[in-house]
Amino acid sequence: MRILVVDDEEALAEAIAEGLTDEGFTVDIVHDGREALWLAREGNYSAIVLDVLLPGMDGFAVCQELRRTADWTPVLMLTVRNAVRDDRDALDLGADDFLGKPFDFSVLLARLRALIRRPRANTLPPARAGDLELDLRLHTCRRAGTEISLSVREFTLLHALLERPGTVVPRHELRDRVWGWDFEGNPGILDVYIGYLRNKVDRPFGLDTIRTVRGVGYLIEAER
């Protein structure tokens, strides 16, 4: 499996590459955002480790451009530790996960392996519950034929519920899926985003398909 490592800190990029090579990966390194975008499009990578601060084109722009052109190669973005804005922007622009600097290599390796195990969005059928549908390839949402605009976090949260319609998904699983297992922000953020989803996919249609199971988590009704 090939990994693209993009970081303008040459020593760090080399250290990551050395560790990944020791684990059996083939690694390419670049230090510039524009070159990274070109390589990502030309190469067949299993995942991309992408720093935010890059010359030529920053990591946010690289990730956004890949997603705009329907390139769903998993992206692990390296952000500044505890920089909530960086973490938020990384996910909102299409990154699959983020990791704050400085980090332990074993954590980066575990995150990468988890991303590589996930099925690519362009190989998955739409996720559905009744007349609600997510197209994972086009990253669109529709209910009863009406298109609904969702942010990347909202889309990820709804997808997590639609993967198991009619089943309660625990709160900690939803938080880990959308914000990462080491999220240390507002513990009520999940409830806020559930509210956003209800205001977009339920209430305008006179429905109540996203249900709260107090003390456990949330479920989405399988049929209406």
Side-chain angles (χ1 to χ4, degrees):
M1 287 183 285
R2 295 179 66 200
I3 305 294
L4 178 62
V5 175
V6 188
D7 200 306
D8 65 341
E9 296 181 50
E10 295 187 15
L12 177 59
E14 291 288 349
I16 293 172
E18 182 177 350
L20 292 175
T21 300
D22 288 345
E23 294 294 327
F25 293 97
T26 300
V27 183
D28 293 331
I29 301 174
V30 292
H31 308 295
D32 176 273
R34 294 192 184 280
E35 185 179 358
L37 181 60
W38 182 84
L39 267 180
R41 287 170 167 168
E42 295 296 317
N44 183 24
Y45 293 102
S46 299
I48 301 170
V49 179
L50 179 63
D51 190 29
V52 170
L53 298 176
L54 296 168
M57 186 179 197
D58 69 31
F60 293 139
V62 172
C63 186
Q64 186 176 33
E65 184 62 17
L66 288 174
R67 299 308 187 235
R68 187 188 68 79
T69 55
D71 185 324
W72 301 106
T73 303
V75 172
L76 174 62
M77 188 161 280
L78 303 181
T79 65
V80 177
R81 182 171 292 278
N82 296 324
V84 175
R85 181 176 179 181
D86 279 0
D87 299 344
R88 179 199 66 202
D89 290 347
L91 292 179
D92 283 346
L93 292 173
D96 298 274
D97 200 357
F98 59 85
L99 188 59
K101 291 182 175 181
F103 53 83
D104 187 282
F105 176 76
S106 63
V107 176
L108 180 142
L109 180 61
R111 296 284 190 92
L112 272 181
R113 284 176 169 161
L115 291 182
I116 292 168
R117 286 196 299 267
R118 291 183 191 172
R120 297 269 182 111
N122 61 354
T123 68
L124 295 173
R128 293 189 178 95
D131 61 358
L132 179 62
E133 175 183 298
L134 288 183
D135 187 315
L136 304 176
R137 183 177 61 86
L138 299 176
H139 219 263
T140 57
C141 175
R142 291 181 180 275
R143 168 148 253 170
T146 299
E147 186 161 346
I148 301 168
S149 177
L150 299 179
S151 72
V152 172
R153 286 187 194 266
E154 292 166 349
F155 190 96
T156 303
L157 179 55
L158 184 57
H159 183 208
L161 294 171
L162 285 174
E163 284 180 327
R164 289 182 273 174
T167 301
V168 181
V169 185
R171 294 177 61 87
H172 69 89
E173 287 190 25
L174 294 171
R175 278 197 305 266
D176 290 353
R177 177 77 169 268
V178 180
W179 288 275
W181 64 270
D182 58 350
F183 177 70
E184 296 178 353
N186 180 359
I189 191 69
L190 173 61
D191 308 291
V192 172
Y193 271 78
I194 288 290
Y196 292 161
L197 280 182
R198 285 174 169 151
N199 285 335
K200 290 185 175 184
V201 306
D202 270 354
R203 291 183 180 126
F205 301 89
L207 299 172
D208 183 25
T209 57
I210 300 174
R211 299 294 183 89
T212 303
V213 180
R214 295 194 180 279
V216 183
Y218 294 93
L219 67 79
I220 192 162
E221 297 286 351
E223 297 287 346
R224 291 298 291 178

